[in-house]
Amino acid sequence: MAQKVFFSVSMSLDGFIAPESPDDLMGQQWRELQQWIFPQRFFRENLKLGEGGEEGRDNDIVRETFERTGASVMGKRMFDAGEQMWPQEPPFHTPVFVVTHTKRDPWERPGGTTFHFVNDGIETALERARYAAGGRDVRIAGGGATILEYVNAGLVDEFSIALAPVLFGSGIRLFEGVDASRVALEPVRSEPSPRVTHLTYAVHPR
């Protein structure tokens, strides 16, 4: 299988993937959006939240997403929020490339995650991530603005959405500002579960 660039996010029914303020990332709305993933056995084990947890298709999808990912790319906003919330052993266990204007030495964490800070654009970050992934796929981890940059640049091959039965009303929309004239989507898979609906699309130039 050829190496792919993908993203995978949870999204509310009205199209939001996060609250507007980073201070609300652990708030009630965000917890409701992500509530499908917290009980999953693989997620709990990966974050060392304790034994047990649910098994089933949701759990399989969490595990498959992790296993296909050889490296990740994220924006500075997501890194800044995550730096405060991730445990000492972050859940990536692979190289992570942070697109930023801030110069900083690589930050190595326990468990195999090293954050590399890339100061010369999304293409360079992706090139480095592709190399580091060693044949596995590259995940654009977020946040929304970074995902959109990669979509609009034609650099995303596939994406998955866990569509949650939650309404935000406001926040960060996944596709706010997308260049729809350049992006065509092909349905790949639709899988309902008791908690969310998993939607997967291939991305093609229009």
Side-chain angles (χ1 to χ4, degrees):
M1 296 290 289
Q3 185 185 56
K4 290 182 179 179
V5 178
F6 79 103
F7 67 86
S8 177
V9 296
S10 299
M11 187 176 78
S12 69
L13 278 175
D14 51 348
F16 297 97
I17 60 171
E20 188 68 44
S21 170
D23 296 335
D24 295 330
L25 273 180
M26 295 299 289
Q28 180 179 349
Q29 275 189 318
W30 186 86
R31 292 196 303 272
E32 289 176 356
L33 179 66
Q34 302 293 348
Q35 67 180 350
W36 73 273
I37 199 170
F38 291 124
Q40 304 310 318
R41 184 184 185 95
F42 185 86
F43 180 85
R44 291 179 56 80
E45 290 176 351
N46 192 30
L47 267 74
K48 294 182 167 45
L49 298 177
E51 297 181 356
E54 295 180 4
E55 297 189 28
R57 188 58 188 141
D58 283 338
N59 187 65
D60 291 344
I61 286 172
V62 176
R63 186 186 68 252
E64 289 164 6
T65 301
F66 175 85
E67 290 177 347
R68 71 182 287 192
T69 302
S72 297
V73 176
M74 70 177 59
K76 183 63 161 51
R77 183 180 187 270
M78 180 176 178
F79 173 79
D80 286 345
E83 188 175 16
Q84 307 301 318
M85 296 190 301
W86 291 318
Q88 184 176 3
E89 185 176 312
F92 302 98
H93 307 292
T94 58
V96 178
F97 296 86
V98 182
V99 181
T100 178
H101 297 294
T102 302
K103 293 188 181 297
R104 179 171 170 178
D105 292 334
W107 188 38
E108 186 174 347
R109 308 301 296 146
T113 301
T114 299
F115 294 94
H116 303 270
F117 301 89
V118 183
N119 305 127
D120 44 357
I122 63 171
E123 291 87 355
T124 299
L126 180 56
E127 181 180 351
R128 292 181 60 182
R130 283 186 186 276
Y131 181 80
R136 287 194 289 168
D137 294 339
V138 174
R139 182 180 184 182
I140 311 301
T146 301
I147 288 172
L148 190 66
E149 280 192 83
Y150 279 98
V151 171
N152 283 342
L155 297 173
V156 172
D157 301 306
E158 184 180 282
F159 66 86
S160 296
I161 292 171
L163 190 62
V166 177
L167 297 173
F168 264 40
S170 64
I172 296 175
R173 286 190 182 274
L174 176 57
F175 293 115
E176 186 73 42
V178 69
D179 187 350
S181 67
R182 299 182 58 191
V183 179
L185 304 180
E186 174 190 354
V188 173
R189 203 163 43 250
S190 176
E191 299 181 81
S193 81
R195 295 182 181 273
V196 292
T197 301
H198 299 279
L199 304 171
T200 301
Y201 298 90
V203 184
H204 305 291
R206 184 184 291 276

